[in-house]
Amino acid sequence: MGESITFWVLAVVSVIAALGLVFSRRAVYSALMLGVVMFSLAVLYAVQDAPFLAAVQIIVYTGAVMMLFLFVLMLVGVDSSDSLVETIRGQRFWAVLAGLAFAALLGLGIGNAVLSPPKGLAAANRAGNVPSLAELIFTRHVFAFEVTSALLITAALGAMVLAHRERAEPKQTQKDLSRARFVRFGQLGRNPGPLPGPGTYARHNAIDMPALLPDGSVSPLSVNRVVARYEAAEGTLPPEVERILQEEALSERANGHVARPLGEEDGK
Amino acid sequence: MNGTIQAPTLEYAQLAPMLVVFGAAIVGVLVEAFAPRYLRSAIHVPITLLSLAGAFALTIWQVVKGVPTKPAAMGAVAVDGPSLFIWGTILVLAFVSVLLINDEDHFVAAAAAVPGSAEEEQALHEGAGHTEVYPLALFAVGGMLLFPASNDLLVMFVALEVMSLPLYLLCGLARRRRLLSQEAAVKYFLLGAFSSAFFLYGTALLYGYAGSIDLAKISAALGVVGGQETLLYIGVAMLGVGLLFKIGAAPFQAWKPDVYQGAPTPITALMASGTLVAAFGALLRVFWVALGGLDWNWSPVLWAVAILTMVVGAILAITQTDIKRMLAYSSIAHGGFLLVGVVATGAAAGQNSKALSAILFYLVAYGFTTVGAFAVVTMVRDAGGEAWHLSRWAGLGKRSPLLAGIFAFFLLAFAGIPLTSGFFGKYAVFQAAVAGGATPLVIVGVVASAVAAFFYVRVIVLMFFSDPAADGPSVVLPSRGTAAVVGVAVLATVFLGVFPQPVLHLAQNAAQSLFIR
């Protein structure tokens, strides 16, 4: 009784979460939906006499794989969304059609199969779930288990090959960086100190709000270029900041400076 | 619950060739970790070559000692006649490919540096290189050895991944045209992961049907389990998708030209020879051992796939302008010819062993020729690397008659002209197919061969009967390794074409006992 209640509750939850995973426009939502699906699966496993699988599902998938997904998403940028331009014309239509047809085939095929009555795990779990699994993994499937190590080594080696770059020049220390900042101050007159945060007279301490000077005007130094660019794209840029950015661009063009892309700082 | 588990028995002697290769790969990783940069290449090359040669020797020893009749490693690995023959083939081909890998700077200086960036310039200037390719190649070879010898679907899946993962990586490490190479690696990885998922899903469904992932037990369940045929059919179809993808059979051939073109040429040689051999071994084992009793159901599908593969490979090859893409399509077409042999099963064991020995012979013949052809491709260079465009090959025969002659010879072997190994390969496969009642398939095969011969001959005509361009590509003086590779490939192609009897005999002996169950 309890098992079927759990199943029907989790079945609804996990199917909705899976649909949300596919249809959500935001990658983080999709990742969290995936987490829900994985948790539901873990509970289903636990209900069906497979505690080891349930624990592994939570530890490995929800714990490790999901967190990796989230890390990658955060690294790539939460807001980066895929371009939805079709490179092959009509591809999406045919892909959806093929996918639906495949799902229908699977559903009808497996739905119509006369499955033998479930045996349950009682026989397999006679010595306890974990010991029985251990016996299988370390006797019958020991070779597959051992060969998997080759896969892990390859993955680690591959990550090193693709991502690790040996430093060609000595690392810049704090001292070098601050020396460079002051050299720039001497040559170009650029402010060596940190840029101001939201000022004393600001009405917000959010980073998209520029600092105000005592006379109530906006301090151009405190305009965060990355945020400003984002807001310009979203159309929520405060008019005063926009005016400042335009003035700056105009004066830079007048002085013959090459326009730097927004947000690029010298210390990089 | 008494807590005692009987220790598994592992037949180390039978598994030795694989263990040597995997062990050498791990030693290679340790070399990467501890040896100074300037020594690494000098340590890797002997380790890699010696381990491959050692594994080959162990394979021979296994044959001499007597082919085992029972699966090893608790029933996970089947070291039988066909396995041993395939192991020997793969090891020799891998040895030859490693000579190519070692040859010259085919690989990127710093994979992590963005193409065209200052870091890349600097890495090139410093002469940096990725010596990790040697252990990666060894891991791939280890996977190739296990893939055709796996006796259950789980081991086969793990082997598939062990074989593919290093290849995905190696594909992206070309030194020139890096964006193309990286694109190839991403495409191969995504499509490969997709096909692995199909394989896994098929495995799960077959387990649901038969209650076991052992090939022999699935075979035994075929006549016994009733009422769940849909599970079986969908499972077989999905398993087939996974395996046919690795072979590059149409309609799963789309990755092959892109990947062959983008990958560093020595890796292309390794993939075109070793992976194809391993994948055919695995395909045969799944379809003949596990699903042998079901051939009424799968052989029409494989008929269609074989016809489509031959036709697509032969016709699309005509339209190619890139030499590596052309060879890729040729490899697709050859996959189709080999599938003709897979379909040629019969009720009698004699027919099966005949078809099997024909396939084994074809694999050896094609493997050597293709490695040789790619070795020649590495030697024809422009300022920016290999001269990939076919028009650049015009008039090569006047500038460098020996090389052009050798390449023409390989192309004729691909086409299956008598006195080359390709002729006997095709002859054996087609003969077995006719005996197995697949005559229409053979007719399609012969027509596709004729179409294929057209574009091979077109390249030969281009090389010998058109004028060389003034700024045409130069033929680099081959290093000792490349020269050895080309020499071995030519010798093998001639030898198998003129005097195929010893290898045919070997293949027949290997195929006689068929696969063990």
Side-chain angles (χ1 to χ4, degrees):
Chain A
M1 184 63 195
E3 190 177 324
S4 51
I5 292 175
T6 321
F7 171 75
W8 285 111
V9 171
L10 284 181
V12 174
V13 171
S14 58
V15 169
I16 290 177
L19 288 176
L21 159 71
V22 176
F23 291 113
S24 167
R25 293 238 159 197
R26 292 187 181 251
V28 177
Y29 290 177
S30 289
L32 293 177
M33 293 286 185
L34 184 61
V36 174
V37 176
M38 286 170 171
F39 259 118
S40 320
L41 282 182
V43 176
L44 285 179
Y45 293 149
V47 169
Q48 295 190 329
D49 293 340
F52 181 76
L53 196 55
V56 167
Q57 172 82 17
I58 289 182
I59 295 170
V60 175
Y61 284 93
T62 324
V65 175
M66 268 296 304
M67 288 307 121
L68 262 181
F69 273 157
L70 284 177
F71 280 154
V72 170
L73 281 180
M74 298 298 172
L75 280 177
V76 172
V78 176
D79 289 310
S80 66
S81 54
D82 298 328
S83 92
L84 293 174
V85 180
E86 290 185 4
T87 46
I88 304 173
R89 256 163 62 90
Q91 179 193 23
R92 214 178 313 163
F93 171 75
W94 291 110
V96 168
L97 196 70
L100 286 180
F102 185 63
L105 177 73
L106 277 186
L108 289 177
I110 296 175
N112 280 336
V114 183
L115 300 178
S116 43
K119 288 182 196 146
L121 282 179
N125 277 350
R126 205 180 304 119
N129 181 256
V130 178
S132 307
L133 267 179
E135 183 166 1
L136 268 183
I137 292 175
F138 291 109
T139 57
R140 172 64 185 83
H141 297 298
V142 68
F143 198 72
F145 181 74
E146 297 288 346
V147 170
T148 314
S149 61
L151 209 56
L152 295 180
I153 297 173
T154 310
L157 194 61
M160 289 292 288
V161 168
L162 289 186
H164 176 69
R165 198 165 64 211
E166 277 180 32
R167 189 176 289 285
E169 64 240 19
K171 189 180 178 192
Q172 286 197 308
T173 58
Q174 288 264 332
K175 199 172 173 183
D176 300 330
L177 289 172
S178 92
R179 189 165 284 159
R181 262 202 305 277
F182 277 95
V183 166
R184 245 190 337 260
F185 174 59
Q187 287 170 348
L188 305 171
R190 281 204 193 136
N191 175 20
L195 295 174
T200 319
Y201 302 96
R203 277 163 300 168
H204 295 265
N205 59 359
I207 60 160
D208 66 332
M209 282 298 158
L212 298 183
L213 295 171
D215 61 355
S217 63
V218 166
S219 157
L221 274 178
S222 69
V223 174
N224 185 327
R225 306 306 158 100
V226 179
V227 175
R229 182 163 55 172
Y230 173 74
E231 291 196 335
E234 295 275 300
T236 55
L237 194 66
E240 225 172 335
V241 176
E242 198 175 351
R243 186 180 53 75
I244 285 179
L245 290 177
Q246 275 168 359
E247 269 172 21
E248 244 177 32
L250 278 180
S251 73
E252 280 196 354
R253 217 170 297 154
N255 293 344
H257 281 290
V258 180
R260 275 181 299 141
L262 281 179
E264 190 177 280
E265 278 305 324
D266 300 314
K268 255 175 124 178
Chain B
M1 172 174 153
N2 53 7
T4 49
I5 293 179
Q6 200 131 45
T9 48
L10 290 176
E11 289 80 352
Y12 287 105
Q14 293 182 31
L15 303 173
M18 259 189 293
L19 298 182
V20 165
V21 171
F22 280 128
I26 290 169
V27 171
V29 175
L30 293 178
V31 168
E32 277 302 317
F34 295 113
R37 187 162 284 282
Y38 64 94
L39 270 181
R40 283 183 200 167
S41 187
I43 303 177
H44 275 308
V45 177
I47 288 181
T48 311
L49 291 178
L50 276 179
S51 67
L52 291 172
F56 184 72
L58 284 168
T59 309
I60 300 286
W61 176 64
Q62 198 74 249
V63 175
V64 172
K65 210 179 60 162
V67 177
T69 50
K70 277 211 308 236
M74 307 297 285
V77 183
V79 187
D80 49 16
S83 288
L84 287 169
F85 188 88
I86 288 173
W87 283 7
T89 312
I90 291 175
L91 287 167
V92 174
L93 292 173
F95 188 92
V96 176
S97 302
V98 168
L99 287 180
L100 268 189
I101 290 175
N102 173 39
D103 167 39
E104 244 182 59
D105 40 13
H106 291 294
F107 292 94
V108 65
V114 177
S117 66
E119 285 94 353
E120 193 191 18
E121 281 291 308
Q122 194 167 14
L124 279 172
H125 180 69
E126 284 171 0
H130 277 295
T131 42
E132 289 95 344
V133 292
Y134 295 100
L136 284 176
L138 275 182
F139 276 125
V141 172
M144 286 175 201
L145 295 183
L146 182 57
F147 193 40
S150 22
N151 200 35
D152 65 47
L153 292 174
L154 185 67
V155 175
M156 195 174 265
F157 175 71
V158 174
L160 176 72
E161 292 300 309
V162 171
M163 171 177 88
S164 308
L165 200 61
L167 289 178
Y168 300 149
L169 276 165
L170 290 168
C171 278
L173 298 183
R175 192 180 190 86
R176 301 177 188 83
R177 299 212 281 166
R178 281 189 61 198
L179 287 178
L180 199 70
S181 168
Q182 292 178 350
E183 184 188 334
V186 169
K187 273 183 185 164
Y188 193 20
F189 174 67
L190 288 179
L191 290 176
F194 207 56
S195 79
S196 297
F198 270 100
F199 187 93
L200 205 55
Y201 202 172
T203 306
L205 289 177
L206 276 186
Y207 180 74
Y209 170 78
S212 172
I213 47 171
D214 270 19
L215 298 183
K217 287 196 184 139
I218 292 174
S219 167
L222 282 182
V224 182
V225 181
Q228 304 180 21
E229 275 78 11
T230 38
L231 282 191
L232 174 68
Y233 295 149
I234 298 177
V236 170
M238 294 203 171
L239 214 57
V241 170
L243 290 166
L244 290 173
F245 173 87
K246 279 290 151 204
I247 290 167
F252 314 110
Q253 90 292 5
W255 61 276
K256 226 172 183 179
D258 288 349
V259 173
Y260 277 25
Q261 182 192 16
T265 310
I267 299 303
T268 313
L270 180 65
M271 279 194 294
S273 54
T275 310
L276 193 79
V277 176
F280 260 100
L283 181 88
L284 283 170
R285 197 175 283 281
V286 166
F287 278 99
W288 286 17
V289 175
L291 307 170
L294 202 69
D295 58 350
W296 271 103
N297 295 88
W298 56 253
S299 72
V301 178
L302 280 194
W303 267 60
V305 170
I307 291 175
L308 197 63
T309 309
M310 288 186 286
V311 170
V312 165
I315 290 180
L316 288 187
I318 297 177
T319 63
Q320 300 307 314
T321 53
D322 182 311
I323 188 88
K324 279 163 87 178
R325 282 184 88 85
M326 191 203 83
L327 289 176
Y329 276 106
S330 136
S331 154
I332 293 171
H334 282 280
F337 298 139
L338 280 157
L339 279 176
V340 172
V342 177
V343 180
T345 51
Q351 164 63 20
N352 284 354
S353 77
K354 202 169 153 190
L356 180 59
S357 73
I359 292 173
L360 293 178
F361 180 82
Y362 197 125
L363 285 171
V364 176
Y366 176 71
F368 277 108
T369 314
T370 195
V371 170
F374 281 113
V376 171
V377 170
T378 64
M379 282 157 58
V380 181
R381 298 275 180 93
D382 259 339
E386 287 156 12
W388 50 274
H389 201 274
L390 262 182
S391 65
R392 307 286 296 158
W393 287 61
L396 195 70
K398 296 189 176 142
R399 187 170 303 151
S400 175
L402 179 64
L403 190 79
I406 289 174
F407 195 64
F409 180 63
F410 288 145
L411 291 178
L412 290 177
F414 283 144
I417 304 293
L419 291 183
T420 61
S421 59
F423 172 73
F424 280 107
K426 279 209 179 78
Y427 179 75
V429 167
F430 287 165
Q431 193 194 24
V434 169
T439 316
L441 210 51
V442 172
I443 294 172
V444 176
V446 171
V447 172
S449 302
V451 175
F454 167 71
F455 66 77
Y456 297 130
V457 171
R458 201 184 56 167
V459 175
I460 296 173
V461 168
L462 187 74
M463 284 195 300
F464 284 96
F465 298 105
S466 53
D467 291 323
D471 61 338
S474 56
V475 173
V476 294
L477 201 63
S479 69
R480 236 176 281 163
T482 310
V485 173
V486 175
V488 166
V490 170
L491 280 182
T493 310
V494 172
F495 181 74
L496 293 179
V498 178
F499 192 53
Q501 207 49 46
V503 177
L504 264 180
H505 192 68
L506 214 60
Q508 270 156 9
N509 276 348
Q512 202 157 37
S513 57
L514 285 175
F515 296 105
I516 53 174
R517 279 149 193 273

